[in-house]
Amino acid sequence: MRLELVKRPQQSALFSALSPFIAFGLMVVAGGVIFLILGKDPVNGLYAYFIEPLTEVWSLHELAIKAAPLILIAVGLSVCFLSSNWNIGAEGQFTIGAIAGSAIPLYFPQFQNGAVLPMMLICGAIGGAAWAAIPAILKARFNTNEILTSLMLVYVAQLILDWLVRGPWRDPAAMSFPQAPAFHSWAIVPELMPMSGRANWGIVLAIVAAVAVWFMLSRTLKGFEVKVIGQSPRAGRFGGFSTARTIVFAFLVSGALAGLAGIVEVSGAIGRLQPQISPGYGFAAIIVAFLGRLNPLGIVAAGFVLALSYLGGEAAQIGIGVTDKTVRAFQGMLLFFVLACDTLIHYRVRLVRPAPAAPPAAAPVTETAHGHG
Amino acid sequence: MAGGETLLDVRGLTKVFGTLKACDGVDLDIARGEIHALLGENGAGKSTLVKMLFGSLEPNAGEIRWNGEPVRITSPSEARRLGIGMVFQHFSLFEALTAAENIALSLDAKTPISTIAAKAQALSYSYGLPLDPYALVGDLSVGERQRIEIIRCLLQTPQLVILDEPTSVLTPQEADKLFETLERLRGEGKSILYISHRLEEVKRMCDRATVLRHGKVVGHCDPRQETAASLARMMVGTEVHAVVRSVDEGAGTADVLLRVDHLNRAPATPFSIPLRDISLDVRAGEVIGIAGVAGNGQGEFFEAVSGEVLQDRAEAVSIRGKPAGRDGISGRRRMGAAFVPEERLGHGAAPAMKLSENLLLSRHATDPGVYVGAFGIVRGAAISAAAKRINQMMDVRKSAEDPPANALSGGNLQKFIIGRELDRQPSVMVVNQPTWGVDAGAAARIRQSLIELARSGSAVLVISQDLDELFEISDKIAVMHNGELSKPMPRAEATYEKVGLLMGGAEPGHVHHHDPAEMA
């Protein structure tokens, strides 16, 4: 007896849309089992994890604050991943974006009016894009592996930030604390509803970016170019599209959005530059991008789900006394179930009775349907 | 011979994909020592049937008897164990390995390479297919590569050999050698299931034929008693119209629409062929055919002419009198040229994308404002309408309204890809292997449409390994060998022998030339 995956001739559109929800449901069930094994009441545990954070207004604000950078970065990553450019360095682009945007209030503290914040956002986006341009150009020109170069540049960016806040940009008034001076009020991203909580316009920016990128990918020639180069580069070249141009485009979009997320985080949620500005948003956004199945609208939902798993993890740690490692466990299960659902949408499982002979030699006997592309 | 002891007996074999019955109650029996032809249009169910016999697909219903015993063939290795061997149409060899290493990869047992090499060499000489087991596959011609596949199959001492379109890659001389080998195998009592669309071959070699249409057996016959036309009629179900080629009246005087002028190209990879000083004029109203054994620079030439690879000099390629060598493929399309590459999936079309998206692939640049509006917004309705028009014009058969390219059979996808270009009435059409692996009905339609395009005033350049095809549609034939192109000969002067010699690398000087301008 063995299991075999057989490609379905037609994929169900309904189940494609439902897949993340089914995955979430399965994760809740599996999470309940884990709580049970830990000796906790699963109903209480799940309530503390997934419901309680949603019952209080202030924690909904926190949810929006955490979701905003995750969505912004993941939307950009979807462009990269769809074009088969594996940008793993969003964390670094986020950091450089935060630095570049912060330079304006730090170098021109007297310059205080309504133009400051837009300029900071633009500088943040340019900074992130410039950082992403390095692995892009290296790949387009020398065919280097972008996974390695983009990842290594994360550590360079973090060290630059560390040096700045301990050195030239350190706040003289902060005793010897390694942090830059707090931003003046024109340099702060305004809060959405200051009466009820901290959430700022970052989440609005994230949703606007998601809709814009969704439109670009699904309705324009540029989006078609990104997808065709990602799936079938030779066919893309036949269509008159340039692989090098697409590499640079995808990295610039992705870097700009990560940089934007960086400056929004620093000038919104934190209010100043400091050595630690991200709990790993740039890496978590990779999970968000795949949970959202590389569709920017799906990514909005996925961003909130991942933000909830951070919040719920904190709440469950305090409320029912489970370790903060459960956050990772839940995030891992979610990813697992989404990938499993997607696989079952494309394939069905078939039980095969034992064959007497050994499995066939792969290369010579299978006629692949995909040519050599 | 036919009428002998039955080796393979298939009854009511059925395979269903979704709602499509790819094979519907197929009956087939093959006797020992028989060459049995399997004929049918693309999508008729030939590949599905063969895959079930070779264990790559599991039938939904029906029975396979081998030597009178009912068997279940669950995998290719099971098929080989029974004594069924297969030579695929598309080779599956690693270019960087030697012939013997490639053979070793498919053998289950861990036999040392030297033993395999010795056996392969002995076997290859005994069948008149000499093979150097230590040669790198990358250095071998297509015909030699096919020998490796055949030897690899014969080493497993099969009783039944399945050959899928074996001669589509061979020169006439190489094909003759293959036929001798097949005759020998028949003489040894082995059976052969021979899939081909070349009806003349089938008439010449095969003892019996089984004809499939829409998944059903429509007849068994003795091909020697039939004519090529009657065989084609059985396959297609209606009369196949012979391609009609009127004489090109403006030959030699009309405007040159495509000019290639002293085109050179260095090899891009260790396995690619350099192009050496190629010059060629294609005039309005004419079809020029380029013959040649695969791998003699045709792919490199196509990439250079299409603009996928740019030239150093703009004058190296001119389209409608304008230098185009520095323009990319979109620029050349805008000048009025259209291109159809050899590889359908992954080059001419993105496999997982829908037909409508694949329409956009080559047409987004050529029809400004039609398929792409302001701000680069794609116009879905216009594209769907055009895709529908093309599918109707070329009779593309598909299982859904707008299926992904890889859901179509090869012939139907080719009809779509050719139709996609014909739909815009290009002034210059460059096609590489227009009917590779395409059935008689679809091939006739494609050839006729290329001739009609030329007669309506366009210049058509066809690169093909299929000599019958080139003789059928070309006004002039040139031969590509090792990156060089011979001077085009007028159709009236060209013979199979002359072209075959040039394909094999004989000096161009051995063939008598006339200036094409004098032939008007």
Side-chain angles (χ1 to χ4, degrees), chain B residues 103 120 123-124 129 131 147-155:
Chain B
I103 291 171
L123 195 67
S124 72
L129 299 169
L131 182 72
R147 285 182 197 170
I148 301 178
E149 294 262 359
I150 293 174
I151 295 298
R152 172 154 86 180
C153 177
L154 293 180
L155 268 177

Side-chain angles (χ1 to χ4, degrees), chain A residues 9 215 219-221 224 227-228 231-232 234-235 237-241 350 355-361 363-365 367 369-372, chain B residues 51 58 74 77-78 80 88 92 106 152 303 308 329-330 333 339 341 343 345-347 351-353 357 360-361 364 376-378 406 420:
Chain A
F215 186 82
R219 294 282 185 275
T220 70
L221 189 63
F224 177 71
K227 286 182 286 184
V228 77
Q231 288 181 17
S232 188
R234 195 146 181 240
R237 214 173 54 193
F238 178 71
F241 304 124
R350 195 177 65 162
V365 294
E367 248 188 322
H370 292 277
H372 308 287
Chain B
K51 280 179 182 165
E58 195 181 359
T74 51
S77 52
E78 173 70 10
R80 280 193 290 255
F88 287 101
S92 44
S106 70
R152 172 154 86 180
E303 280 184 339
E308 288 172 280
I329 188 165
S330 288
R333 284 187 176 127
F339 308 98
E343 197 95 36
L345 287 172
H347 193 178
M353 287 191 159
E357 293 175 291
L360 188 63
L361 184 69
H364 65 88
I377 294 170
V378 171
N406 58 14
R420 174 176 77 184

Side-chain angles (χ1 to χ4, degrees), chain B residues 313-380:
Chain B
R313 291 181 307 122
E315 295 74 28
V317 175
S318 302
I319 294 166
R320 293 167 79 193
K322 292 196 201 83
R326 300 298 301 158
D327 290 273
I329 188 165
S330 288
R332 294 185 196 191
R333 284 187 176 127
R334 275 190 288 264
M335 291 175 175
F339 308 98
V340 176
E342 175 179 5
E343 197 95 36
R344 286 159 212 151
L345 287 172
H347 193 178
M353 287 191 159
K354 295 175 183 165
L355 289 187
S356 58
E357 293 175 291
N358 273 304
L359 172 73
L360 188 63
L361 184 69
S362 80
R363 298 285 295 274
H364 65 88
T366 56
D367 303 70
V370 178
Y371 301 120
V372 181
F375 307 109
I377 294 170
V378 171
R379 308 180 104 154

Side-chain angles (χ1 to χ4, degrees), chain B residues 97-117:
Chain B
L97 299 182
T98 65
E101 285 166 339
N102 269 291
I103 291 171
L105 279 174
S106 70
L107 298 180
D108 297 330
K110 290 187 166 36
T111 326
I113 295 271
S114 56
T115 316
I116 291 172

